[in-house]
Amino acid sequence: MAVNEDETVNTLLNFRTSELCPDWTRSVWNLDFTEYVSLPVEYESAVEELDWLTQLREAITVCREWVEGGRNPHVRGFWLVLSDNEILLKGLIVILFNFIENGHQSYDESDVRYKAQEKAILASQLYFTLVSIPGSGAYKVFHPILYCRCLELLKVYRQLVIAEPPVNATKRKKDHDTLGGEKKKRKGTISSQDQDEEGQVEFPGPEDEDLLNTTCDQEPYNSQQVSALMKLLFSLTKTLITLLECYSLKECGDSVEQTIQRLAPLTRLEPETFCRDFDVRSDSLSYVRSLPELSYLGLISVISSKHGDEEELSRQVFKHILPSILMLTGSNNSAVSAAQTIPRDLLAIKGHCVQFVSFLVKQKGQSSLHGVRILLQHMSTKVPDKAEYRAKTAQSIVTITKLLPTEVYARMLRWFHRYSRGEKGGCRMFALEIYGLLLNEPERTPDSSLDEELQKYLAHKFLLEFIIARCSDKASSVRAKAITLLATSLASGVAWIQREVKDLFTPCPRPAIPCSDRTLVVSEVENATTIGTSERSDCVNCTVRLVKLISAEARKDDGRDSTAAAAPAATFDYTEKMTTPLTVAGEEGVSESTALITDCADCTVKLVKLSLAEVQELTISDRQGIVSMLCRRSEDEKCAVRKAAVCALQNVILLDSGFCCKQNLEVLHKRCLDPAVSVRKQALVSLSELLLRGPDSDMLQRLWLDAVLPMILDRETKIQEKCMEMLEEVFLNNIVSHDTACSRSQLRAWHMLNTMGGELGQELRRYLQKCCQFWATQGKVKAALLSAVQSHVGTENYKGAWTLLVELAPVATTKFDIDFVIAYWKENRHGDLETVQKVLNILGRITDRLPKQVLTSLLSELHTKLGKFDSSPALISEMITALYRICKVQESGEKDPTHWCADILQASHAYLSEMVLDEDCHRHIDEELVICHLFTLGEIAQLIPSKMPKRLFMLVESLVATTTLGNNEIGSQEVLSQSVRTQFKGSKMSPLIRVHAFTTLGKLCLQNEAMAKKCVAALARELETSPDAIIRNNVILIMSDLCVRYTTVVDRYIPNVAACLKDESTLVRRQTLTILTSLLQEDYVKWKGSLFFRYIMAVVDRSEEIRSFAKFCLVHLLLHRYPAMFYVHFIECLFHFNAYEKHSAYNKFQQSKREKKLFSLNGVQNKEKRLQVYKFLLEHMSDEQRFNLNAKIVQDVLGGIVDSVIPFDDESIPIVQDAFTILCCKEMKLSTLRATAVSADDFQDEQEAVVAVAKKTIISQVVKRNVIENIVPVIIALKHMLEKMRSPLLGDLMAFLRELMKNYPNEVKGSVYVLLTYCLFVVLHYILSTLHVFTIRVECH
């Protein structure tokens, strides 16, 4: 661009620098522009008519031409033009300084302040332009302080962006006062009120406090003024970039730093305007319209050898943009937003910064790498301790890291590995975030020049091993995150990730080793480990073992779960020509040698391929293999870990079907009963995913039915909805007509329906019924669906078809094809028994739609069939139900619609009378015929109780009577023997008949309250006297039904039912638990008398199945209904289980001698069982209950001994011993005060950890006060009492004191000091007296 010297001279002469006093100009320069001095009065008078704004704009325009064309050798220099025309450069700069300083002054009126700042911005722009003109350095135009003052005007841009709309002065003052009052409240966060409705947030900078202080009482700008100033500042920033391109700041490092400090905050303003890249030349700045983009271009211009060392400059720039990458805000860019999610603007700013850093890495190359490494390290150490911030920051780190050269990349990964081994759980958590993202990047191939030590960090296997190691971390949040990442890796569709995962799961073959035993080398068959098997059928003592030699090298504990024990030997049985088991023994750190050893010299061994599922002992960090580790983690105390383990185990099975074994599937099955809703839901989804995407396995399908179907009745609505969704996907969506059912999912659906239609699926059908009801309410049961199901009748799927039709019949009676059902009944009425039952069930449901002639025919046929008494009980039930419904339909036309049952009841009465009255009848009794009669009577009694003859009641009673029923010596309660009816003469019927007789008697009693009152005592006695477990089981069920119907009648006999918790039969004990749990849940039974103590003893039952079931019922079913039941009954447990009956309040309920003997837990031999019960109760108490219980034990038990409320004798000693044991056990400690309960590593967010620590502190103070005021005085008094009696309980008391001293040393020290000193002197006196050396006199004051 050509320059016009005349225009330049004329424009600059208008500044009239010659009229400035030389002394005044010299004084300003001598002060180095540190003080503001007003222009001389004479000068102001001379330029009074001058329009400074126009003059400054014209000067900027002409000077900009010299910047662009001043380097032309044919043009005279700008500075020579000034000197030749007597334009004083120093005077010009002093005038500009005056304008700039005037713009920094504070004015209340907006118009005055606006004009001053407008003039200051233009003066700064002119000064930047002068500095940019070639040759300015020789004339010392650049002055660092003046340059800094010009830069400070960029702060006005931030002031304008965060300024509020104009409001009246009163409101401004009020708002300012409110803001000042809230500063202390939000030290670490930005209030959600700072966000607008669009999710935008204001970003205060380091200078914002000064801005607020200077503007709080000033009149704000209007919109036109704000827009004009922002345009001027935008132009000033462009001029600054031009200066950085033209002038070197190498000699003034502070100016460079000031430039970075002023440009970096501008990148956070107006982030939504950023729309271009960073590769913009300086001559193209006119096209830039975005302030962040312009600021980034300025930072790029700063990072140049022209201004200093590029490496150092990069580090400074990265330092100032670090808060933006970390999405921090606040007055010092050190706080996080209080919003639930990161504001949209913060995310945009972070994205721009990451793009900027990536651009510098590509453009600057080697000079920026050192700064990038430092930036990444600071990002890792300063990332906010919140989950979303960690995730976003990890993404930024990976985005930048993948641009690094291989060597720098490897060194960075090594640093991450060292960082991940820190004690703080947040370090390990963040490292997992990074490693999880790096797994999705292609693995780098190391070149030959890379150090061998660094090469391992490039492999994805290294990342996976680290993730697997963290699955056993001591912090639960880290464990959960690691397992989640492992699950994600397992489910990843990326080829190299799955390859590395499979390499970790696949055992590697090993070479042979010398051994003293007979050894056979393990060979490799298709990259799989092989084993040895014996082919000799007579070699029954031979054992083949896969032995792995263990290296002696021990690894340093790096935070993994210290509870992980060494792997026990696992035995696998093989059916393929193998008579000996294979024992796999392994430990951590397996060496490079493996061998097969057999201890039989004559045994022939061959090599076979070992499937993946049969070996879980892998050479990885977890001692028992990945799958075994996941199974253990599914039992973790934290629900997040359990949920992640379930998901990971699902993906393991999907990755390799060899792991689809019963052991692993049962883990998922068990999690469907987890107390946590999230875990149950994940287990439901995981099993469903395995069913839909996994291998076809009958075992998997059966486990899915057993685990998922019952979740239809889950107490959580979300679980029910998810279960319905899965059932719809598995069944409903795959039901098509038989001729089109060919896909894998369709065949699987019918296979599972057939399973439910068989004998094993009887318990599952009620869940299917619930599901069909839900589908009907959703309008998904249509005629087309029923037609598709009907097409499978008569095929291999007939069981499943009729099962589904039976459940659909109650909800879709109007859509059934009645002709189809009638035709099938006529053709197959004598066919398969199960199918006939289901067809009858459907006919009973659609009786109102059947033609009259069909109803008449069906009634006659069923009545005839029923009168023969030759059908099975199940078919009898369906026939009677169908007859009853048919008669209900015909009720309008019949005088007596129940006439059909009269002759049947008469026939049964005649047969049973003859059988009971004939003394020799028992020799030729037809048991099946008797059962048919009894079952028929029971079913008719349920539907038509009014038709039952009274004499039939007596006949059934005679059948259930035993020869010992009248013997009063066996009874436990007098009322039982008095209630026995005289008609019970002592039957000699077989146990099978008596079983059905009791069932029939129960049905009769349900419909006759008077009969129930007479028989309930005999039924209760039968629980004690009957030798048949099936009879006892049936009587329990009868008592349960009677309790629901006649609660007050049965309530007094609940102790007899509870006594069955000690029955010899596991079936009876489990049935009793089920019945009592159900009655307690529905409030038909209360925790009265001895019931709780009978129930709680099931947790120490001899059967593991019963123990687990009892714990499940207590914790997951009853504790929600009765939250305080453990606390309320705990003290009485001490007295009851020690059989102590001398207390005035505890253990005073009635018990028979038989019950006392059955439920006895007293004595030293049962102390361990008592302790198990105590610990179980304590584990499931709240902290408040434990705290109150602690005081109650001390006051009621220990204090009772001190106050002589409880006599101190041999019977009370076990109670005191149990009390001390309970007070010392770890389960009694409050969970809030336990060491691991409030560990910061267990929290994903820092705020949660702070709240937990504060909670612990408060509770700790309360507990300490309780120790001082309530516990220590009682213990000291008891100590003196036990000393006088020379009681052996002193040892237990001292053990408790030791625990107190360990937990509360400062609180107990003062109270117990005298006591302990006294004990020491007593012991010393005893020792010296025994040795006959000398005696001492002990005086204790």
Side-chain angles (χ1 to χ4, degrees), residues 931-946:
I931 292 173
C932 284
H933 279 279
L934 288 173
F935 196 85
T936 302
L937 288 177
E939 290 299 305
I940 294 177
Q942 290 288 86
L943 297 175
I944 317 174
S946 60

Side-chain angles (χ1 to χ4, degrees), residues 807-825:
E807 305 306 336
L808 290 173
V811 297
T813 54
T814 59
K815 300 175 183 179
F816 255 83
D817 184 358
I818 59 174
D819 295 334
F820 170 80
V821 181
I822 294 172
Y824 189 90
W825 167 256

Side-chain angles (χ1 to χ4, degrees), residues 299-331:
L299 293 175
I300 293 173
S301 300
V302 171
I303 305 175
S304 171
S305 58
K306 182 185 297 184
H307 304 297
D309 183 19
E310 290 189 2
E311 185 175 305
E312 177 62 27
L313 293 173
S314 298
R315 283 163 47 187
Q316 290 190 31
V317 170
F318 293 153
K319 171 186 175 182
H320 286 87
I321 67 172
L322 176 62
S324 298
I325 299 180
L326 295 178
M327 297 162 288
L328 301 177
T329 184
S331 59

Side-chain angles (χ1 to χ4, degrees), residues 399-436:
T399 301
I400 299 171
T401 303
K402 66 183 182 181
L403 300 175
L404 300 177
T406 301
E407 182 178 356
V408 182
Y409 177 84
R411 293 184 182 277
M412 201 65 234
L413 289 185
R414 181 176 63 180
W415 185 89
F416 285 141
H417 181 63
R418 294 172 179 172
Y419 167 80
S420 68
R421 300 174 73 87
E423 293 184 359
K424 189 177 179 181
C427 299
R428 303 193 293 276
M429 176 76 78
F430 189 63
L432 284 171
E433 294 273 8
I434 296 173
Y435 281 9

Side-chain angles (χ1 to χ4, degrees), residues 825 840 858-867 879 882-883 886:
W825 167 256
L840 270 177
L858 191 60
L859 177 61
S860 174
E861 184 178 352
L862 294 179
H863 183 265
T864 303
K865 178 69 175 176
L866 196 61
M879 287 192 296
L883 281 170
I886 291 172

Side-chain angles (χ1 to χ4, degrees), residues 1095-1261:
Y1095 198 115
I1096 198 64
M1097 283 191 64
V1099 301
V1100 289
D1101 193 273
R1102 59 180 177 272
S1103 169
E1104 173 62 29
E1105 178 189 359
I1106 299 298
R1107 292 197 299 269
S1108 301
F1109 184 62
K1111 292 177 181 178
F1112 173 81
C1113 292
L1114 283 166
V1115 176
H1116 304 307
L1117 300 179
L1118 296 177
L1119 191 58
H1120 294 284
R1121 183 70 180 82
Y1122 306 97
M1125 65 178 183
F1126 291 164
Y1127 167 73
V1128 170
H1129 294 91
F1130 192 94
I1131 298 295
E1132 193 156 13
C1133 284
L1134 284 170
F1135 294 92
H1136 178 73
F1137 291 142
N1138 285 286
Y1140 188 82
E1141 299 179 348
K1142 296 181 180 179
H1143 197 278
S1144 59
Y1146 296 118
N1147 199 26
K1148 305 304 291 184
F1149 40 80
Q1150 292 183 350
Q1151 301 178 82
S1152 65
K1153 292 182 180 179
R1154 174 176 175 270
E1155 290 176 337
K1156 289 182 179 180
K1157 182 179 179 181
L1158 283 175
F1159 293 93
S1160 174
L1161 276 184
N1162 62 323
V1164 179
Q1165 68 277 10
N1166 291 318
K1167 184 175 182 179
E1168 186 61 33
K1169 287 186 177 181
R1170 294 199 304 272
L1171 187 59
Q1172 290 180 26
V1173 174
Y1174 299 148
K1175 288 183 176 181
F1176 172 78
L1177 296 176
L1178 290 172
E1179 285 174 354
H1180 298 93
M1181 287 187 192
S1182 64
D1183 277 353
E1184 180 184 0
Q1185 291 173 345
R1186 290 195 193 97
F1187 178 80
N1188 294 331
L1189 180 64
N1190 189 306
K1192 201 170 184 181
I1193 291 176
V1194 172
Q1195 296 299 326
D1196 290 6
V1197 180
L1198 303 183
I1201 296 292
V1202 174
D1203 298 337
S1204 300
V1205 175
I1206 302 175
F1208 188 73
D1209 51 25
D1210 292 341
E1211 294 184 21
S1212 62
I1213 286 178
I1215 299 176
V1216 181
Q1217 287 178 329
D1218 284 1
F1220 279 126
T1221 304
I1222 293 167
L1223 292 173
C1224 292
C1225 70
K1226 65 178 182 179
E1227 288 78 10
M1228 176 58 89
K1229 296 180 181 178
L1230 305 188
S1231 61
T1232 314
L1233 302 181
R1234 294 175 190 171
T1236 59
V1238 294
S1239 175
D1241 294 344
D1242 287 336
F1243 298 95
Q1244 294 193 8
D1245 293 341
E1246 185 178 3
Q1247 293 179 354
E1248 295 180 8
V1250 171
V1251 172
V1253 171
K1255 182 179 178 182
K1256 175 181 178 180
T1257 304
I1258 296 172
I1259 294 178
S1260 178
Q1261 295 299 326

